[in-house]
Amino acid sequence: HSFPTRRSSDLVAANFSAAEVTAELPLDASWAAAELVLTSHPGQPPLAKPAQLQLRPWESLIWRRTR
């Protein structure tokens, strides 16, 4: 599941399965420069930026939009 939070410019994405998942999210271009602020897999960079969401099994990420 993933969703932009209403009170901030953060995006939370989580994969609650044992399989890798992908999804295209309808995000505006400002998300391309988003900064990763928290991950459940420290030391491993995200597989993709938020718009072309790709998560490892059991992975959770939080991005912050920078403007």
Side-chain angles (χ1 to χ4, degrees):
H1 299 292
S2 64
F3 57 92
T5 57
R6 291 183 181 173
R7 294 184 179 162
S8 68
S9 294
D10 293 348
L11 177 79
V12 178
N15 179 5
F16 296 103
S17 76
E20 187 174 291
V21 297
T22 60
E24 288 203 30
L25 303 179
L27 301 174
D28 64 49
S30 66
W31 284 100
E35 171 190 9
L36 183 66
V37 294
L38 187 63
T39 177
S40 61
H41 290 66
Q44 296 182 3
L47 296 174
K49 285 289 188 177
Q52 281 79 36
L53 185 63
Q54 187 174 3
L55 296 172
R56 295 172 182 90
W58 312 111
E59 184 174 35
S60 298
L61 302 168
I62 299 176
W63 287 278
R64 181 159 292 139
R65 187 172 15 187
T66 55
R67 290 183 180 207

